Amino acid sequence: MLSPENGKEVCILDLMNFLTLAAKTEGTSGREGHERTRLQPYFEAVAEDIQETALGALIGRVGHEGPKVMISAHMDEIGMTVRLIEKDGSIRLRSVGGVDPRILPASEVTVHTAEGPLFGVVGAKPPHLLTPEEAGRASTMDDMYVDVGLKAEDVRKRVRIGDVVTLVGDVIRLGDDLICGKTMDDRCGVAAMLLCAEELKKNRTPAQVYITASTQEEVGAFGAATAARKIAPDVAIAIDVCHASGAGASPARSMPITKVGLTCGPVIHPALLKIAKEVAQANGIDVQVQASGRGTATDADAIQPLLSGIPCLLISIPLRYMHTTVELISEESVRQAGKLMSLFISQLARRWEEIEWY
Ligand SMILES: [Zn+2]
């Protein structure tokens, strides 16, 4: 693949570079335009017929015969929006998606104004000034404000209700294999999808694979649902993150960070899961199956009941510290997830006529 960052030919996606640029690109749910523009050249490098949906999802097709397979990885990130500007110029926030107020105090943020980005910090009442009652409870959004260091009238001139506010954070490597930073959820899934697309293209896999960078997953997966209606796939794969063990995550709800997750449950089609498990085993990919009792909280939930029903598979990349600026993933897991997806699709295409769905 031609690396869109430097124009040099690279055989595989430079993940560290891809994720570092991802973390610098604003794209809260419903406002994914910048991230979509960033992803466009990657899509052009591996896919044809690139198109956008009315809700901003980016779709590209790899291959032109065989079963129609949609892959959905969401490009939106959690973030915040300006709710109110106080008399003193401090900015009150509302979360977009699942932002945990406990991680916000002392965070650096960018307020994306019409005139350009404005740097700020999230302030909260100093501990010395807290009442005993305040000190004993967790902070909420109402306890927090953004300080951009300007006079109130200047804040009012530049900042508008509804301006997007994103967290700021660098991407760093921890140890040999782990990558740490913001927006790993789910831009590492987008990366795995691109790695998969590259393999499928190289191997001329007999399937029509629609890679989709979906939108608004963090607020209800509307971007994936509308994209799926447009594509009308025979089968869909959602690729997203799940909880990696560590930081008190219970073993029942998490898995080692070096594995690749598969999910079973009502949203996941058993025939697809069976093939995915067989493919993983035959190719030495270390997977762990997790059980869901109802929804999966991913794009799969939105896609499955559409049209006359779309059989879904969910592949997950384990991640520690979800929805923070220090989301931690294993580079090898991302590559293995991409490999599993491409091998699964190849197998699916080969066995398409003889799959026993139930
Ligand atoms: Zn996600």
Side-chain angles (χ1 to χ4, degrees):
M1 181 196 281
L2 201 63
S3 162
E5 290 100 45
N6 53 21
K8 284 187 199 141
E9 193 80 33
V10 288
C11 56
I12 42 173
L13 195 72
D14 180 344
L15 262 186
M16 189 65 190
N17 199 4
F18 179 89
L19 293 170
T20 301
L21 290 171
K24 291 186 198 304
T25 308
E26 162 219 356
T28 55
S29 308
R31 302 285 286 272
E32 297 90 350
H34 289 111
E35 179 62 359
R36 182 172 57 251
T37 304
R38 185 185 82 86
L39 291 174
Q40 182 95 18
Y42 291 94
F43 271 57
E44 283 166 4
V46 291
E48 300 167 86
D49 291 345
I50 315 291
Q51 48 183 321
E52 273 174 38
T53 68
L55 294 197
L58 188 63
I59 304 172
R61 178 176 51 75
V62 187
H64 51 79
E65 55 178 343
K68 268 170 114 176
V69 182
M70 174 186 182
I71 306 178
S72 188
H74 72 88
M75 63 174 147
D76 58 315
E77 63 171 317
I78 54 151
M80 292 153 290
T81 185
V82 173
R83 188 174 64 176
L84 178 80
I85 300 164
E86 298 276 12
K87 276 201 185 72
D88 64 358
S90 60
I91 297 167
R92 295 290 178 178
L93 301 168
R94 164 156 279 174
S95 64
V96 177
V99 174
D100 181 354
R102 293 175 311 157
I103 64 136
L104 285 181
S107 290
E108 298 173 9
V109 294
T110 306
V111 182
H112 300 270
T113 75
E115 289 169 37
L118 199 57
F119 186 72
V121 292
V122 180
K125 206 176 194 184
H128 323 75
L129 307 183
L130 293 177
T131 64
E133 193 219 2
E134 285 170 335
R137 66 169 173 81
S139 303
T140 68
M141 254 339 177
D142 290 336
D143 300 319
M144 251 133 327
Y145 56 86
V146 172
D147 190 336
V148 291
L150 296 176
K151 286 185 196 142
E153 62 258 39
D154 292 332
V155 175
R156 244 180 289 280
K157 263 184 224 153
R158 293 187 59 176
V159 180
R160 294 279 172 275
I161 304 296
D163 280 350
V164 168
V165 180
T166 52
L167 293 161
V168 174
D170 285 333
V171 171
I172 54 169
R173 196 172 271 288
L174 289 187
D176 296 329
D177 176 49
L178 301 188
I179 299 176
C180 174
K182 70 183 280 258
T183 68
M184 296 299 149
D185 174 8
D186 180 35
R187 294 177 186 169
C188 77
V190 176
M193 176 172 75
L194 290 169
L195 290 167
C196 163
E198 194 174 27
E199 278 301 306
L200 294 170
K201 188 182 174 190
K202 201 165 73 191
N203 299 329
R204 298 175 189 275
T205 299
Q208 307 170 67
V209 182
Y210 290 80
I211 57 171
T212 308
S214 70
T215 53
Q216 302 192 31
E217 190 274 346
E218 299 289 0
V219 294
F222 307 115
T226 45
R229 280 208 179 89
K230 194 178 180 85
I231 297 165
D234 296 308
V235 161
I237 304 169
I239 167 92
D240 207 332
V241 296
C242 64
H243 295 289
S245 4
S250 84
R253 300 196 55 193
S254 62
M255 68 178 68
I257 199 163
T258 51
K259 293 199 180 227
V260 174
L262 289 171
T263 298
C264 63
V267 172
I268 306 305
H269 200 290
L272 299 181
L273 179 64
K274 182 166 173 278
I275 296 170
K277 284 199 281 192
E278 285 166 6
V279 166
Q281 195 176 24
N283 292 280
I285 299 171
D286 194 7
V287 295
Q288 183 161 322
V289 178
Q290 58 183 357
S292 71
R294 190 178 278 262
T296 62
T298 70
D299 283 344
D301 299 2
I303 296 170
Q304 187 219 25
L306 296 178
L307 305 171
S308 52
I310 301 171
C312 281
L313 178 74
L314 172 60
I315 297 181
S316 308
I317 299 162
L319 175 148
R320 258 180 229 150
Y321 319 126
M322 199 176 289
H323 290 186
T324 71
T325 53
V326 293
E327 291 182 332
L328 205 57
I329 50 138
S330 147
E331 172 161 0
E332 190 52 26
S333 286
V334 176
R335 294 194 183 284
Q336 292 290 307
K339 185 176 160 191
L340 175 60
M341 258 190 301
S342 70
L343 292 168
F344 167 81
I345 291 169
S346 300
Q347 188 65 238
L348 191 77
R350 269 198 289 275
R351 287 167 56 179
W352 186 245
E353 299 300 333
E354 42 164 289
I355 292 173
E356 287 177 22
W357 289 95
Y358 286 99

